[in-house]
């Protein structure tokens, strides 16, 4: 017997829980403007997320999927991508999308029950939020295939959770990305829980990153609460994909500090201690500590930024709350490029019921 | 002008559209060098290369998902499901994404893809190779479902389906893939979607069908004619959305209707047509509507297969029951 193949999964992390940067940190860690930008975006995201949950609790928003604790992973993905790349999210990656130009009001519109949130202000070629699990991985691989066939230097990035790596679609994306050598980066935001099912019950695999090995992709596990490591890993993966070096599975190890959605109560299945310990590793605090150590941030600046960010969130919330419901005809108007005869009849029927006041 | 079979007409349409639109790509299992297990893509790989005719990994979910991904980025994938029975793993992507991409993004993105599959029974195929799932797809808002019944209609309807800016499920009746040849000019002329084709004018009874059973239905009409009964034969062709106007017009004239399809009866397209006639044409009817369909069982293996499929005799018996009402 002899060994025909061996593999290893590197783990990348530079900034620890105490805001201490390791000696092997990449050059970008020294770029103070960049780190400040990362921190501000992450912080804004948390203000937004807190507000969105509050809106749901007060009946002003439908079910909402919080991104609490994922700020580093999400913002870093967004900052590593170029505008022309395509982003294929699941349903809580607002941090990526805000970097790409999606407005908070778009997110609120979507969870507030209005499809116009999916016609968002970000890149028109990005996919909207995807509720079925992991299907977006294959759509990203398909987009990457289109880029490769058209010889466009663009990269497709999908995000899936730890539970999503159990799905056929995730394996299909990894496999086809390997087979066609596609410019595809599949990020697994491993937040440890697929609603109530822990990561340990999802798979016998030691890491989720290694699932990419089967498809012949580069694979890396990264501290998903370390924005510097996330950004470095994502930049490397995306640039490798862009120049024809093949796809990557990035497993971002993080933690879901919130419930799965506002319709969930994680206290029923998740030990309190675990959550408490996870708060000690959360992404914002460690970046803030680093900035404070460098003299770039303090309580006053934090307060000023908080006021500014909350004002912006309020503006977005008001824009959402003031948006009038679509006319009932909107149900039909986007089903097809041209309305078929049967739908035209149904549209007319609804308009009759509405008293012909919409159109 | 060349005479071609239905499957050659499919190949011809694919080649025509690939020549004139560089965004059209063909993908599926074995569609490349092998030209497809039924040979629907024969010669395309040699003509257009492996960047336009892509052999995929052997995973139907992947074929459907990649197609959605290519389509929302502006390509026009024409995906092949190798057999109708292998289409079920594709449904998640077709139903949850392709069918609703345009409406859920308020028109920002769309999914201009075609999913082709050899469809239906009657070729003594193994299990899971003889399904007729058109009603499953027809029920889904946002999809067109097209089933040609002749080489000319396969050519014209496939061109229309590829050019359509929305997703189309294109079922090819494999029983008549090579049954006969007809002249099909390779001129790029599409046929209209969403309309029925009246294949034979008649005044006494309307026979409505699609796909491979157009053959048996026309034969039944011939035999009725020998008895002095004039049957109108309608090929539905686009089973979603259905051109009910043409069917209603016919029933207004004949007062009688028999619907023939090989898919299982319950919830089939025949039920939809019958319901529409009940709503809109009740007072034109001189007799109850009859359905001649497959049964609510999986299509049997080949020893019993032909007992399952509507036969000319079953169609005639239904027609006679209908004609007995005076």
């Amino acid at each position: 017997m002899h060994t025909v193949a061996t593999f290893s999964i590197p783990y990348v992390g530079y900034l620890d829980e105490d805001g201490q940067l390791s000696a092997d940190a990449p050059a970008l860690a020294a770029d103070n403007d960049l780190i400040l930008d990362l921190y501000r975006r992450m912080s804004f995201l948390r203000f937004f997320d807190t507000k969105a949950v509050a809106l749901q609790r007060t009946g002003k928003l439908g079910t909402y999927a919080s991104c609490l604790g994922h700020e580093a992973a999400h913002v870093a993905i967004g900052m590593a991508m170029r505008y022309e790349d395509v982003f294929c999210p699941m349903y809580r990656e607002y941090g990526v999308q805000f970097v790409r130009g999606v407005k908070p009001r778009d997110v609120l519109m979507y969870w507030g029950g209005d499809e116009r949130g999916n016609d968002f202000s970000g890149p028109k070629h990005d996919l909207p939020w995807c509720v079925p699990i992991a299907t977006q991985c294959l759509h990203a691989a398909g987009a990457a295939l289109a880029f490769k066939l058209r010889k466009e230097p663009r990269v497709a990035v999908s995000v899936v959770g730890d539970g999503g790596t159990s799905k056929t679609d995730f394996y299909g994306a990894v496999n086809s990305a390997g087979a066609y050598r596609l410019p595809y980066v599949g990020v697994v935001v491993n937040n440890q829980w697929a609603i109530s099912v822990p990561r340990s019950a999802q798979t016998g695999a030691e890491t989720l990153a290694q699932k990419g090995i089967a498809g012949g992709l580069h694979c890396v596990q990264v501290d998903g609460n370390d924005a510097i490591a996330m950004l470095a890993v994502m930049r490397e993966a995306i640039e490798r994909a862009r120049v024809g070096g093949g796809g990557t599975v990035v497993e971002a190890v993080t933690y879901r500090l919130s419930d799965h959605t506002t319709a969930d109560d994680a206290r029923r299945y998740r030990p309190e201690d675990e959550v408490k310990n996870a708060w000690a590793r959360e992404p914002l605090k460690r970046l803030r500590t680093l900035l404070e150590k460098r003299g770039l941030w303090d309580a006053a600046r934090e307060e000023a930024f908080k006021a500014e960010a909350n004002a912006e969130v309020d503006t977005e919330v008001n824009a959402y709350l003031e948006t009038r419901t679509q006319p009932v005809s909107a149900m039909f108007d986007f089903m097809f490029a041209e309305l078929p005869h049967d739908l035209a009849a149904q549209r007319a029927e609804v308009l009759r019921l509405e008293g012909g006041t919409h159109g | 002008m060349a005479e071609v079979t239905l499957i050659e007409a499919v190949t011809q349409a694919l080649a025509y559209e690939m020549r004139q639109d560089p965004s059209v790509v063909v993908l599926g299992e074995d569609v490349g060098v092998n030209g497809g297990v039924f040979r629907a893509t024969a010669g395309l790989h040699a003509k257009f290369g492996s960047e336009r005719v892509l052999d995929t990994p052997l995973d139907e979910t992947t074929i459907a998902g990649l197609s959605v991904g290519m389509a929302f980025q502006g390509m026009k994938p024409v995906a092949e499901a190798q057999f109708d029975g292998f289409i079920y793993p594709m449904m998640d992507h077709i139903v949850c994404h392709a069918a609703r991409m345009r409406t859920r993004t308020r028109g920002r993105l769309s999914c201009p893809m075609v999913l082709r599959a050899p469809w239906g029974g009657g070729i003594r195929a193994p299990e899971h190779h003889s399904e007729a799932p058109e009603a499953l797809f027809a029920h889904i808002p946002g999809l067109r479902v097209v089933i040609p019944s002749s080489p000319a209609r396969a050519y014209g309807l496939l061109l229309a389906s590829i050019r359509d800016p929305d997703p189309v499920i294109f079922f090819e009746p494999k029983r008549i893939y090579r049954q006969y040849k007809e002249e099909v000019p390779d001129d790029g002329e599409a046929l209209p979607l969403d309309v029925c084709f009246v294949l034979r004018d008649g005044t006494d009874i309307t026979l409505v069908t699609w796909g491979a059973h157009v053959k048996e239905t026309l034969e039944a009409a011939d035999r009725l004619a020998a008895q002095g009964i004039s049957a109108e034969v309608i090929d539905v062709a686009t089973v979603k959305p259905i051109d009910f106007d043409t069917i209603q017009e016919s029933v207004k004239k004949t007062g009688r209707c028999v619907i023939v399809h090989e898919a299982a009866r319950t919830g089939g397209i025949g039920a939809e047509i019958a319901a529409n006639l009940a709503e809109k044409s009740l007072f034109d009817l001189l007799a109850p509507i009859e359905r001649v369909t497959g049964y609510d069982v999986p299509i049997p293996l080949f020893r019993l297969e032909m007992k399952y499929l509507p036969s000319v005799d079953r169609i005639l018996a239904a027609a006679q029951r209908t004609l007995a009402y005076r």
Side-chain angles (χ1 to χ4, degrees), chain B residues 283-298:
Chain B
F283 300 110
D284 294 326
L285 286 168
L286 302 170
I289 299 160
E290 285 260 358
R291 282 181 290 165
V292 182
T293 70
Y295 305 109
D296 290 349
V297 300

Side-chain angles (χ1 to χ4, degrees), chain A residues 86 118-120 124-129 135 139 142 150-151 154 169 172 180 326 330 334-337 341-342, chain B residues 51 55-57 61-62 65-66 69-70 72-73 92-93 97 102-104 106 108-109 142 165-166 241-242:
Chain A
V86 68
N118 276 333
D119 183 17
F120 47 54
K124 294 296 180 192
H125 54 262
D126 278 7
L127 276 182
W129 296 283
T135 45
H139 304 159
R150 292 193 301 229
K151 301 181 173 45
R154 301 166 68 188
D169 306 72
Y180 291 127
Q326 301 170 88
F334 304 95
M335 279 306 307
F336 292 91
H341 56 77
D342 59 339
Chain B
E51 298 208 331
D55 277 323
T56 62
T61 307
T62 292
L66 290 179
M70 296 168 89
F72 94 88
Q73 287 303 315
D92 188 10
H93 286 274
H97 298 288
R102 184 186 295 280
T103 192
R104 64 194 287 262
R106 302 288 90 171
R108 178 168 65 84
L109 295 170
D166 289 301
I242 297 175

Side-chain angles (χ1 to χ4, degrees), chain A residues 123-147:
Chain A
K124 294 296 180 192
H125 54 262
D126 278 7
L127 276 182
W129 296 283
C130 182
V131 174
I133 301 302
T135 45
Q136 75 276 10
C137 301
L138 273 169
H139 304 159
L145 180 53
F147 301 156

Side-chain angles (χ1 to χ4, degrees), chain A residues 37-287:
Chain A
D37 192 21
L38 267 174
Y39 178 72
R40 286 200 184 99
R41 289 178 185 278
M42 287 163 57
S43 193
F44 176 85
L45 183 58
R46 186 162 294 182
F47 293 133
F48 167 80
D49 195 67
T50 308
K51 184 73 182 181
V53 172
L55 286 171
Q56 192 280 332
R57 298 292 185 229
T58 52
K60 290 177 180 146
L61 199 64
T63 301
Y64 170 77
S66 162
C67 61
L68 187 64
H70 299 33
E71 294 87 350
H74 290 178
V75 170
I77 294 167
M79 289 183 69
M81 293 178 71
R82 290 188 194 165
Y83 178 87
E84 65 268 27
D85 296 335
V86 68
F87 183 55
C88 303
M90 41 184 276
Y91 41 75
R92 59 172 107 243
E93 287 75 33
Y94 323 120
V96 188
Q97 294 173 311
F98 291 169
V99 177
R100 290 179 68 67
V102 175
K103 288 185 174 165
R105 70 186 67 176
D106 299 324
V107 179
L108 297 173
M109 287 271 276
Y110 177 72
W111 293 109
D114 193 317
E115 289 84 355
R116 286 175 295 182
N118 276 333
D119 183 17
F120 47 54
S121 324
K124 294 296 180 192
H125 54 262
D126 278 7
L127 276 182
W129 296 283
C130 182
V131 174
I133 301 302
T135 45
Q136 75 276 10
C137 301
L138 273 169
H139 304 159
L145 180 53
F147 301 156
K148 180 167 176 157
L149 294 176
R150 292 193 301 229
K151 301 181 173 45
E152 297 168 346
R154 301 166 68 188
V155 180
V157 179
S158 65
V159 170
V160 73
D162 36 298
T165 66
S166 299
K167 286 268 301 233
T168 305
D169 306 72
F170 176 76
Y171 290 104
V174 162
N175 188 60
S176 49
Y180 291 127
R181 203 172 171 84
L182 299 180
Y184 167 71
V185 178
V187 182
V188 180
V189 175
N190 172 7
N191 69 18
Q192 314 298 328
W193 290 89
I195 305 189
S196 68
V197 179
R199 178 245 174 272
S200 60
Q202 287 290 338
T203 177
E206 212 171 339
T207 69
L208 300 177
Q210 75 198 58
K211 294 191 175 195
I213 284 177
L217 302 193
H218 301 274
C219 301
V220 57
Q221 193 183 62
V222 55
D223 182 344
N225 290 350
D226 173 352
I228 291 167
M230 268 307 297
L231 184 57
V233 164
M234 285 305 300
R235 278 183 173 176
E236 188 190 334
I238 287 173
E239 285 321 304
R240 182 170 48 232
R242 197 184 309 284
V243 299
T248 303
V249 170
V250 175
E251 178 189 358
V253 181
T254 178
Y255 194 83
R256 191 185 81 210
L257 293 167
S258 59
D259 295 324
H260 167 68
T261 65
T262 51
D264 173 45
D265 179 4
R267 287 172 305 183
R268 284 186 300 172
Y269 53 82
R270 200 165 61 174
E272 255 177 68
D273 279 3
E274 186 184 292
V275 184
K276 208 175 140 199
N277 292 337
W279 272 105
R281 295 191 305 274
E282 69 96 4
L284 261 73
K285 196 177 64 132
R286 63 173 84 176
L287 206 57

